[in-house]
Every structure is written in structure tokens, then in C-alpha cells.
Amino acid sequence: MNRLQQRHLLGLLANPLGNSARVFELSGTNVLITKRGQISTISLEDLASPPSVEKGIFGATAILSMSGRREILLRGARFADARLFSDTVKSAWIDFNLQALEREADRLAVLHSEILNLARPTAYPAACVITPVLNDALALEASLLSKLNPDAIGPEAAACVERIRNFALNPKAIRSAAIATYVTTELERWKDFFDTIESKPLTAEQRLSVVVDEDATLVLAGAGSGKTSVITAKAAYLVKAEIRKPDEILLLAFAKNAAAEMSERVEARSGVPIVARTFHALAYDIIGLVEGSKPALADHATDDLAFINLIKQILKDLVQTLTEVSRGIIQWFAHFLVEPKTEWDFTSKHAYYSHLEKQDLRTLQGEKVKSYEELQIANWLYENGIEYEYEPDYEHKIKATGRRDYCPDFRLTESGVYIEHFGVRRQKLPDGTERLMTAPFVDRDEYLAGMEWKRKVHAEHETTLVETYSYEQQEGRLLASLEAKLAPHVTLKPLPADMIFDRVIELKQVDTFSQLLGTFLRKFKSGGYSLADCDAKSERMKLGKRSDAFLAVFAPVFAEYQKRLGGRIDFEDMILRAAHYAETGRYVSPFRHILVDEFQDISQSRARLVKALKGQNPNARLFAVGDDWQSIFRFAGSDIHLMRYFGSEFGGIFAGESGVHRAVDLGRTFRSVDQIAFAARTFVLKNPAQIAKQIVPAGTTTEPAIKIRMVAKDEDQRALGDVLHEISAKIDPAQTVAVLLLGRYRFLEPDMRDLQRRYPRLRIAYKTIHASKGLEADHVILLNVDSGRTGFPSETVDDPLLSLVSPEAEAFENAEERRVMYVAMTRARHTLTMMASKSRPSSFITELINDPAYAVAGAAEGEARPHECGECGGRLLDVRGQDGRIRYRCEHVQHCGNLLPACPSCGAGLPRHADGTASLTCRCSTTFPTCPDCKDGWLTERSGRYGAFLSCVRYPVCSGKAKITTVSSGPRLMNLKR
């Protein structure tokens, strides 16, 4: 029966409002529905189940169940008619489903087989392999499977459909189970291979990293964990397991020697001839294939000195030929060479002085000044041909005042005018008036009193004083204001730009700037930046006028550099051009597996090339081996974020999840004993942004493995000899051991020929820490772990301008320097000795000594805890004078000048405040009365015009005093007064 109609009388009783249908009619594969005179159509495909029939008081109700639990009812029908119609539609519905199933039979069979194979996978179920299967399952689920009823298709077809639907609904769980099954089977299958591919069987972690074959796989290979073994085994496994052909595998390294070593090792260990290449060699080959020939390489591309000399020559030529550009270049050297920070940017003297010591505040005339604002004034005077003296003795002798001799900031030699620059700013008060303020760490009342005293001196001696103020610099009118104030006294005679530039060359300031320009240029090119990008980032980072001045010079320098390249290319061009050809398809990549060594050193441009090669083939995989703990080449463009966010950068997509990848931690180190391995791990993980890894050391030791040797001034060579003698004395006479001397800088290298002659049983080598990557030795000696500009951690930080073309800076202080220290520590197999200045050890040494977790030995108690300077918050360092006496001097000697004698009782210690007491006590237990005026001084007895009295040992810098009184029946007492 193809038609079911509501009976008239029953319809009136069952459906008085006409809400339900009046007629159902089967027409081919559709059901026509008449309701309130309107006819609508539904397909059999839309039925979730065959029609059902229910008996009622007023006749039968036929129900059509749709997807989404929607129902269409026809009330008031004869039960027999409704039953017959239901059977007819059911039969049509089953036929419809079976026909639909038959149309997709081949597709279903293939899909079912692929899903069934996931229970016993014969290849790694990578996201890129399983995603097409999942996409097909999801498409079938939406178009067909979700609409099929098991009753309509039979049990065998229903089981097939159910398996496919289950996979579509639970793809992640099924893929994870498949991966686990495959890995277990494969590890057992290739056990003999893993046992014999290297001289020692691979560890469980190494085997796992070889078998895992995700879209992107990151092997976290800590220092000495056998990363080369992993890459060798991976390449051999891919070929031997017939996963890839040799020419489908790309082995990439960063250095020529590393690539050559990798090629030799792969072939020697596995018999598989796979040639490893550097990124530049690969890029050069790609360019040659696309363009038909390889463009010549610029002469300076492989010669850093030639590159910097080219930049210097470009600067010189621009000064001589382009007026606007020459003016910008001179303005840079005169006013923007250093960061424009003043004391107002700091909250303590110590922080401000530390900043000043990292800068070279040297004027165009050649002297060093004490602030950025003084530098501006001095260079303006020089630019305008006004001869001056910096901090000369005042021409009149001032009567004894307890002060140091008066030395004004500047004296103009021709006019005799003095210039004093005062570090004060204006603060508006609620009543509208203003008052002068000093920097946060400066005593305002004392400073303002000093200003008045200087004015009074000039007034009394009738000398001309011109005053400038920090608030003028803050308001952007310091130099304009100075020009107006000097107008009655001097005539400006501006020097030619080329003369000033010659002076810059003479001061070697052009060398530093050329280095900055060269580094910026290379990073600018390799990162694919534009000047607009730099402008936008400068504005975002609020780098201000200095950034504008730099970019105004860089733009013409870069344009001229590109012009002088002519038809040649540099290394930055190589990578970017090759990446472009891969991205646009002009180069067709044959590679299905890309294996990258030292992945922590990858830059944005190299990452772009890797992504382009990988992106050409949906089945291509990336296998990266690296250690973010050893990422120490940010200055050369490496971007640690590419490793930290490896998944989002290189991972695949599966089941709606992006960034799909696998990370394997090798864990075991074959190099360092437990004390060194664990200490290095603890040290580097102080930075929470580093990827945490477990470490299994190469062995254990009960002897101290990390030692710190504190070295007195000028005794570095003797101390080094002592350490080498100790090592040599402990080895068997017939043996030799390797000793690696490490330094943060090249200039720290000692006389190696002399050392080798003196210690013939030691194989001694020197390397900078950066050059020591991949090396190891029985014993490592780390030299000059001191504080200072060329200390370790290095305080010669990258110029902030480089952040315009660099990965985002890390928030953790000394993040990269901490990784440099990790690299140094993990070169050692058995012992690590760090040599640090007794008077100025680095913050790293202080940390290693103060934290028991590092278990270091060899530093005397208290040696790494210098006293704090009460004047500025820096450190008081013990120094021995020519007279043999020890004094304690502030580390910021050029700025602070705090100087204290050693304890007069023991001649070595420094009296300090004991907890809860007002007196000062030395470590020899001698106690002294505290100076009432300063934090560090104590009172000592002196003789004066009116007899004995007590005064501060820091006199005349500090004028703290006290009277001496006596009591007839008691000891001498003090009456302190300021």
C-alpha cells in the first residue's frame, strides 16, 4: 500500500485542530505529506527508522521518525491500513539503504580494511597517514553511515559500518592504540639491529626515538646522550625497513665538519650511502637546479672581517657623498651610540652604576663622562667647535670645607665659562607650584644644597656659570637650551662631517657600530624583515628616538650593501631564495624524511626552508634532534622558540587538533658523572621556560666532582698551574688524560705551549664555550668566571636595537648565559673546576656556592659573599695595595668611591653590623663604635686642635664625629654628634 489517508470522522476526533498530517504517500524514494492543504516531501534517506504504528481510541497513529528525533504524525487512520503502509515504506527504506550501501561498497571495503589494519599496523600510524582515512570515515559518516539502520542492512554490513563509525567517533584513542602496538612490535622486530648499529647497544629511549615516526618528531638529546647515534640509526632504519629510499632522505647539519662526520658515520655503521648537507649547501643546490647555474658567492660571505670592513667603507663613503645621510650618521655617533638611559630610569645607585659600566660613555673628544646627559653636552660642544675641559680643577682654591676639591662639569677654554649639569626634574604640586626632584636613590636635600653651594662659589669668585638640567633633557630641549644660554659667550663653528667621522674612526667607535650594523643586517635579511616591520616593532617596544636614528642610518647602508652585492649572493640570500623556490613549487622536493641535527640552533629562515620542503609532500616527516638547554647562538639568529613550540611550528593535524607531534627524551648521558650531570640540570632548569628532561648519569662518584677555586688578583696563571698539577699528580704515570680549558671569550686563552710543556701527561686544549659544543674531556677547567662587562655571565648584552630583528627576548634574567654555563659544565666527564676572582666572583659562582643542591667543593666559607656597599648597594671588594695593606673598595670605583680600611686589629677583615647591635664587629671579634653619619664607617680616635676626638675612618668623604668624655669612676665614653 503506497498511500495512507486519515479517516474523516476519526480524523475529526483524533486531530480536531488539524495539527497532524492528513495523507502519507510513498512516491519512489520520497514520502509525500499532505497537511492543511499543503504538500511537503521527505526522502527515505531522512528516515531514522521505518514508520511505526500505535493503536488509539480514535484509530491508529502512523509515525515517521526523522533524524534529530523529529517526528511527523498521521492520526485517525484505520489500523490495518496504517500497518500495511508501514510495511511498504519499511521495505522501500531497506532497499534504499542497501542500494546506498552498494554504491559505496568499494569505498567501504577499502576504508574498513584500513581501519582494521590499525589493530596490527605495518607502518607507523602518523597523523599525516591516518588523517585521510579519518576524513573519508567522517565524510561517509555524514553522508551515509549515520543514516543506515543495522536492521536495514543486515548483521555483516552492520558490523562493518559500526567499526567505521567507531573510528570516526574515537579516532585519537584508536590511533594511540595503533601506535603502541606498532612500536612494541617494531622494537622487537629490529632488536638485533639496535643491538649492533653502534659499538654499544642503543638505549631504550634511543630505540624508541628511531621507531617513532610522527609528522614531526623531536628528540630531546641532552649533553652526551648519543644524539649522533640516534640520527645514524634513524637514517639506516628508514632504508633497511624499506620505509624510504636513500634519495628520499635529507640529512641536515649546521656545519661542514658535522655534515661530513654524519655522512661517514651513517655509511660506516649501516652501509647506507646518504650524504648529509649543511643548510647552505642544500640551498645553493636548490638555487642551481631552479636557475640553471649557481650565482657567485660574495667575497665577504665567508670572511667576517671582510664583511665588517665593507660596512665601515660604506659608512665612510656615505658620509662623503650624501649630505642628509652623513648628518644622520654623525648624529648617531654624537648622541645615540649608547642607550639614552639616565639615573631616572633606575631605582638604586647599584643598578645605575652597573648600567653605566656596561656602556662606553666616551665623548668625541675622547674622555669618559659620568652620565648620558653629560655625553650629550660634551658631544654637542665638540660638534660645534667649542673647546672645553671636562671636570677641570676650579680656577680658585676653595677654603677648607670638608668637601673634595671642586671640579665643575665643564669649562670652555676660550671664554672661561663653566657649565654645571644638574640632575633635577620638575614636579608639579597640587597647588600649581613646582619643586625640583632628584632621582629615587639621590638625597634630595643634600643634592639641592650642593647646587646652592656651587652657585655661591661662582658668585663669590665672579666666574660665569651656565646651568643645564635633567628636566630639559626630559622635555627634549637640553641642547637647544644650552645653545641659547651660551649664545652671549661663544660663537659656534660646526666641524665638517668628514672631520668628525675621522675622529670617530680614531676612537674606534666606528668598529663597534659597524659590528652592530653588520649583525643587524644579517638578522634583518635572514628573518625576512622589512623597514616597516622594524618601525612597527620599535613603536611597540617604545625604543624611541635612538631606534629612529639607527634605522635612518641602516636604511641607506642596507641599500648600498645590496647594490654592492651586484649579481652575487650572501648566505642569507641563499636560504631565503631557496625557501621561496620551495614555497612556490619551482623546486620540487624529492624528500619524504628530513632529519635535522642540532635543532636548537635553527633560525627563522632555516625553519622556513624546512617547512617549505615538508609542506610539498603530505606524507613528509620531520625528525629533529636537539637540546634547548644548549641553545646558545641567539646572536647568530637561532630562535629557541622554534624548539619550545615545536608542535605548533612543525606538527601535523589530526581529529581537529593541530600541532600533532611526538617528543622523545633520551635522558641518559654517556659523559658526565652524577654530581656534574645533576648539578648542570638543576642549574639550567632555574629558568622555568626550559623544557624539563630527566637525566640518567654516566656513573656515580663519591669524590667532589665540581670544585670552585677562588683566585686572588694577578694570580690566575699560578692558580691554573696548581689545578693542572693536582690533576697530573693523580693519574698513573703511564696514562694521559684529556683536559679542556674553557673560556667565555677568545682572549682568555693562556699560553698553551708552555702549559703542555709543563704537564706532558695532560692532553690540554683551549676552546671558547661556544666552540666547545660537541666536545668532551676527562677534566674541564672553566676560566675567569668573574663579574664585569667581560665576565660570565657576560654583561656586554646585545644592543636593544637587535631586538627589532630578533626572536622575542626571554623574560628570565641571563637565560642564554645560563645555557652557556650548562654547555660548559657538561663538557666534563669526571671533574669540573671553576676559577673565579676572589674579589669579584660572578653571580653564577655565588649561586653555585650558596645552594647546597649543587654540592660544590673548594671555596672557603664566605669567600663568595662580598660585603654590600652602604653607599650604593654594590659589593665591597678586598684589594691589596702597594703597601701590602688590605682595603675594601666598592666595585663601582669610578662612580661610588667608597673605600674602607681593613680591621686595624687583624688587618684582613671588615667590621660589619652584627645582628641586633649598634656596633660594628670584625670576624676577628673586635668591636668598633658605629659612625653616626654613614652605614659602613666606624669611629677611630684622632687628635685635633682641641684634643682627642672620634671621627669616621672614611674621613674626609664622611664627616661623622663624636666627642670623647670620661667619667671619674668609669671608662671613656662617647658622645656622638653629627
Side-chain angles (χ1 to χ4, degrees):
M1 182 178 180
N2 290 346
R3 181 182 174 87
L4 177 66
Q5 186 168 343
Q6 187 183 73
R7 307 296 291 176
H8 182 67
L9 180 59
L10 292 176
L12 288 175
L13 295 173
N15 183 29
L17 300 178
N19 291 331
S20 62
R22 295 180 59 83
V23 178
F24 285 166
E25 182 177 356
L26 178 63
S27 176
T29 59
N30 296 309
V31 177
L32 307 180
I33 301 164
T34 303
K35 180 179 178 182
R36 292 179 177 173
Q38 300 292 320
I39 299 175
S40 59
T41 303
I42 63 170
S43 170
L44 292 175
E45 182 182 2
D46 296 326
L47 292 181
S49 61
S52 59
V53 179
E54 295 178 357
K55 280 186 176 182
I57 299 175
F58 303 111
T61 299
I63 305 169
L64 297 178
S65 297
M66 318 293 291
S67 56
R69 297 186 177 181
R70 188 166 64 93
E71 293 182 339
I72 302 175
L73 308 179
L74 186 150
R75 303 179 189 275
R78 288 176 57 185
F79 180 76
D81 293 343
R83 196 67 167 152
L84 186 56
F85 178 79
S86 175
D87 290 343
T88 303
V89 173
K90 179 179 180 179
S91 177
W93 177 67
I94 290 173
D95 288 342
F96 178 84
N97 276 275
L98 290 173
Q99 289 172 15
L101 201 62
E102 182 62 29
R103 286 194 299 271
E104 298 288 0
D106 293 341
R107 184 179 174 190
L108 281 166
V110 171
L111 186 56
H112 182 261
S113 176
E114 289 174 331
I115 294 170
L116 198 62
N117 287 340
L118 288 176
R120 297 179 300 279
T122 56
Y124 187 89
C128 60
V129 174
I130 308 304
T131 291
V133 180
L134 176 59
N135 290 341
D136 203 18
L138 290 171
L140 270 175
E141 164 71 6
S143 66
L144 175 63
L145 304 186
S146 62
K147 300 167 185 177
L148 296 178
N149 190 289
D151 295 336
I153 59 177
E156 185 177 343
C160 174
V161 168
E162 180 61 24
R163 187 181 297 277
I164 296 172
R165 297 196 69 191
N166 182 49
F167 172 67
L169 295 173
N170 304 286
K172 292 181 182 179
I174 291 173
R175 190 175 87 93
S176 294
I179 290 171
T181 300
Y182 176 81
V183 168
T184 301
T185 303
E186 203 71 356
L187 287 174
E188 180 60 32
R189 179 185 173 198
W190 290 91
K191 181 180 181 303
D192 291 343
F193 170 80
F194 293 134
D195 284 343
T196 58
I197 183 67
E198 289 286 312
S199 56
K200 293 181 180 179
L202 299 188
T203 66
E205 295 82 7
Q206 288 175 324
R207 295 170 193 235
L208 177 62
S209 66
V210 171
V211 170
V212 166
D213 203 21
E214 195 52 81
D215 288 32
T217 302
L218 176 62
V219 180
L220 299 169
S225 61
K227 65 178 181 60
T228 308
S229 296
V230 166
I231 289 187
T232 301
K234 181 73 175 183
Y237 166 76
L238 290 172
V239 175
K240 287 181 174 293
E242 298 183 348
I243 296 171
R244 299 296 185 209
K245 297 175 182 177
D247 57 3
E248 293 178 321
I249 300 171
L250 174 62
L251 275 173
L252 284 173
F254 282 83
K256 280 184 179 180
N257 56 351
E261 180 186 345
M262 197 185 301
S263 299
E264 293 171 7
R265 190 160 174 170
V266 169
E267 186 164 7
R269 295 285 195 275
S270 64
V272 178
I274 301 175
V275 177
R277 287 186 273 184
T278 64
F279 278 90
H280 289 128
L282 169 67
Y284 213 20
D285 287 343
I286 289 174
I287 294 169
L289 287 170
V290 173
E291 298 182 2
S293 64
K294 296 178 180 179
L297 192 61
D299 293 337
H300 61 265
T302 57
D303 187 338
D304 287 342
L305 180 60
F307 174 66
I308 297 304
N309 285 337
L310 173 61
I311 299 297
K312 287 165 66 175
Q313 187 61 49
I314 288 173
L315 280 172
K316 188 172 184 178
D317 292 346
L318 289 175
V319 166
Q320 294 176 342
T321 58
L322 297 174
T323 306
E324 280 301 313
V325 176
S326 68
R327 188 176 296 117
I329 292 172
I330 297 306
Q331 283 298 299
W332 168 265
F333 284 108
H335 302 293
F336 298 104
L337 190 63
V338 298
E339 284 188 79
K341 287 187 177 181
T342 69
E343 60 265 41
W344 300 89
D345 296 304
F346 301 89
T347 57
S348 71
K349 286 183 181 179
H350 171 52
Y352 177 51
Y353 294 160
S354 297
H355 167 75
L356 290 179
E357 287 159 5
K358 295 175 187 177
Q359 307 294 315
D360 184 16
L361 297 178
R362 191 170 302 280
T363 69
L364 292 172
Q365 186 163 283
E367 67 270 316
K368 290 197 75 169
V369 293
K370 293 188 173 116
S371 74
Y372 171 76
E373 290 173 354
E374 285 187 350
L375 182 70
Q376 301 303 294
I377 293 170
N379 283 347
W380 183 87
L381 294 172
Y382 184 87
E383 282 181 279
N384 287 286
I386 303 172
E387 294 184 7
Y388 69 88
E389 297 173 83
Y390 178 66
E391 291 194 337
D393 291 333
Y394 186 53
E395 61 191 84
H396 299 286
K397 188 69 177 174
I398 309 300
K399 294 178 182 179
T401 60
R403 298 172 179 266
R404 292 178 177 175
D405 288 344
Y406 177 40
C407 298
D409 291 335
F410 300 93
R411 179 180 180 274
L412 307 188
T413 54
E414 186 176 339
S415 62
V417 170
Y418 289 96
I419 301 174
E420 282 285 8
H421 181 69
F422 294 127
V424 291
R425 290 185 177 180
R426 295 191 284 204
Q427 179 187 43
K428 245 186 184 174
L429 300 177
D431 62 1
T433 61
E434 292 182 341
R435 72 168 184 165
L436 295 178
M437 295 297 296
T438 54
F441 50 80
V442 176
D443 185 311
R444 177 179 177 274
D445 293 338
E446 183 179 327
Y447 191 87
L448 294 181
M451 290 173 61
E452 287 303 318
W453 179 84
K454 291 174 182 177
R455 288 166 178 162
K456 183 179 177 182
V457 165
H458 286 280
E460 288 178 351
H461 294 87
E462 298 182 345
T463 48
T464 303
L465 174 65
V466 169
E467 299 181 14
T468 57
Y469 312 97
S470 285
Y471 62 75
E472 293 174 320
Q473 171 71 12
Q474 183 187 22
E475 295 164 5
R477 58 186 184 86
L478 172 63
L479 300 181
S481 176
L482 176 62
E483 182 176 357
K485 293 171 185 176
L486 289 181
H489 309 288
V490 300
T491 301
L492 304 187
K493 295 171 284 187
L495 300 180
D498 57 347
M499 182 183 296
I500 297 176
F501 192 76
D502 288 342
R503 179 60 178 161
V504 168
I505 293 175
E506 186 180 333
L507 292 171
K508 300 190 183 304
Q509 290 181 342
V510 74
D511 295 345
T512 304
F513 184 51
S514 297
Q515 289 280 358
L516 174 61
L517 277 171
T519 302
F520 192 95
L521 187 151
R522 283 177 166 168
K523 291 163 81 72
F524 179 85
K525 290 188 73 172
S526 66
Y529 293 93
S530 67
L531 288 170
D533 294 333
C534 295
D535 282 329
K537 194 170 183 181
S538 172
E539 187 172 342
R540 191 167 66 250
M541 296 179 67
K542 296 180 171 56
L543 293 182
K545 292 182 179 179
R546 184 168 184 262
S547 174
D548 296 339
F550 177 80
L551 293 175
V553 175
F554 173 73
V557 168
F558 178 69
E560 183 63 21
Y561 171 82
Q562 290 294 97
K563 179 180 175 183
R564 295 192 186 191
L565 274 178
R568 298 185 173 229
I569 62 172
D570 54 22
F571 285 133
E572 288 70 36
D573 288 324
M574 263 189 205
I575 301 291
L576 292 173
R577 196 180 298 187
H580 174 70
Y581 288 152
E583 287 167 344
T584 56
R586 293 185 64 185
Y587 171 74
V588 179
S589 171
F591 306 117
R592 300 298 184 269
H593 261 82
I594 303 170
L595 281 57
V596 184
D597 189 19
E598 300 286 7
F599 194 77
Q600 74 277 353
D601 295 334
I602 197 165
S603 63
Q604 285 287 349
S605 57
R606 290 178 175 88
R608 179 179 162 190
L609 176 57
V610 169
K611 289 176 185 177
L613 295 173
K614 182 174 180 288
Q616 282 201 11
N617 299 288
N619 194 27
R621 322 287 171 87
L622 170 63
F623 182 81
V625 182
D627 182 7
D628 70 303
W629 296 0
Q630 297 186 72
S631 178
I632 60 173
F633 290 102
R634 181 175 179 264
F635 67 88
S638 68
D639 186 351
I640 194 172
H641 297 83
L642 291 166
M643 188 166 181
R644 285 188 182 154
Y645 304 107
F646 180 79
S648 58
E649 291 286 345
F650 302 97
I653 298 174
F654 184 74
E657 179 186 350
S658 60
V660 176
H661 70 290
R662 181 75 178 266
V664 181
D665 184 353
L666 293 188
R668 180 177 298 277
T669 174
F670 297 97
R671 180 181 301 157
S672 303
V673 294
D674 54 347
Q675 291 183 28
I676 296 173
F678 291 144
R681 179 183 187 274
T682 300
F683 187 83
V684 78
L685 285 181
K686 290 284 185 178
N687 181 356
Q690 301 294 164
I691 302 171
K693 296 187 282 289
Q694 295 304 312
I695 295 295
V696 180
T700 59
T701 180
T702 56
E703 295 292 320
I706 303 179
K707 302 174 184 179
I708 293 177
R709 181 69 63 95
M710 308 303 287
V711 182
K713 185 179 180 182
D714 299 326
E715 294 188 3
D716 304 67
Q717 294 305 312
R718 182 195 60 77
L720 175 58
D722 290 346
V723 174
L724 292 171
H725 177 75
E726 290 172 12
I727 295 172
S728 183
K730 290 181 180 179
I731 63 175
D732 187 282
Q735 290 182 326
T736 63
V737 297
V739 177
L740 180 60
L741 308 182
L742 291 179
R744 181 62 181 78
Y745 309 96
R746 290 192 185 97
F747 68 79
L748 295 176
E749 181 175 0
D751 185 339
M752 298 302 296
R753 294 181 65 181
D754 179 61
L755 291 177
Q756 193 63 73
R757 178 185 58 79
R758 290 165 57 194
Y759 305 101
R761 287 188 293 156
L762 304 180
R763 303 190 305 277
I764 308 173
Y766 176 84
K767 293 285 184 183
T768 64
I769 302 173
H770 284 81
S772 74
K773 287 277 295 294
L775 302 180
E776 58 184 60
D778 300 302
H779 307 279
V780 168
I781 302 172
L782 183 55
L783 308 177
N784 292 65
V785 193
D786 306 333
S787 60
R789 292 190 75 228
T790 55
F792 187 24
S794 172
E795 293 179 4
T796 311
V797 294
D798 282 350
D799 193 297
L801 291 168
L802 293 176
S803 62
L804 297 178
V805 286
S806 297
E808 296 302 325
E810 298 174 83
F812 195 76
E813 185 179 14
N814 290 321
E816 183 152 39
E817 288 293 292
R818 186 168 288 269
R819 293 193 292 271
V820 174
M821 174 62 96
Y822 170 81
V823 170
M825 295 173 76
T826 53
R827 300 310 95 194
R829 296 191 192 101
H830 303 302
T831 71
L832 167 67
T833 303
M834 302 184 198
M835 305 186 68
S837 167
K838 183 178 180 182
S839 61
R840 48 186 183 86
S842 85
S843 59
F844 285 170
I845 290 293
T846 304
E847 176 184 330
L848 289 166
I849 290 177
N850 289 345
D851 191 340
Y854 295 117
V856 301
E861 181 66 27
E863 281 188 324
R865 300 181 182 90
H867 305 293
E868 182 178 297
C869 173
E871 294 297 302
C872 72
R875 296 176 300 173
L876 290 172
L877 310 176
D878 58 318
V879 294
R880 190 177 296 273
Q882 292 182 349
D883 57 4
R885 296 168 59 188
I886 291 177
R887 293 175 177 81
Y888 286 84
R889 184 183 68 199
C890 180
E891 64 177 314
H892 304 302
V893 62
Q894 293 181 346
H895 307 284
C896 178
N898 191 7
L899 184 67
L900 292 158
C903 168
S905 294
C906 66
L910 180 67
R912 305 302 283 168
H913 282 287
D915 292 339
T917 66
S919 59
L920 291 164
T921 304
C922 179
R923 66 190 183 198
C924 70
S925 299
T926 306
T927 301
F928 301 88
T930 302
C931 172
D933 278 16
C934 68
K935 293 181 180 180
D936 289 329
W938 61 90
L939 296 177
T940 185
E941 187 171 322
R942 302 181 193 272
S943 295
R945 184 185 306 173
Y946 303 106
F949 68 99
L950 297 175
S951 75
C952 182
V953 295
R954 297 179 63 233
Y955 179 84
V957 174
C958 175
S959 56
K961 296 178 183 177
K963 288 183 179 179
I964 299 176
T965 61
T966 58
V967 178
S968 58
S969 60
R972 178 177 290 180
L973 299 176
M974 297 176 299
N975 177 24
L976 302 181
K977 75 171 188 177
R978 294 182 182 274

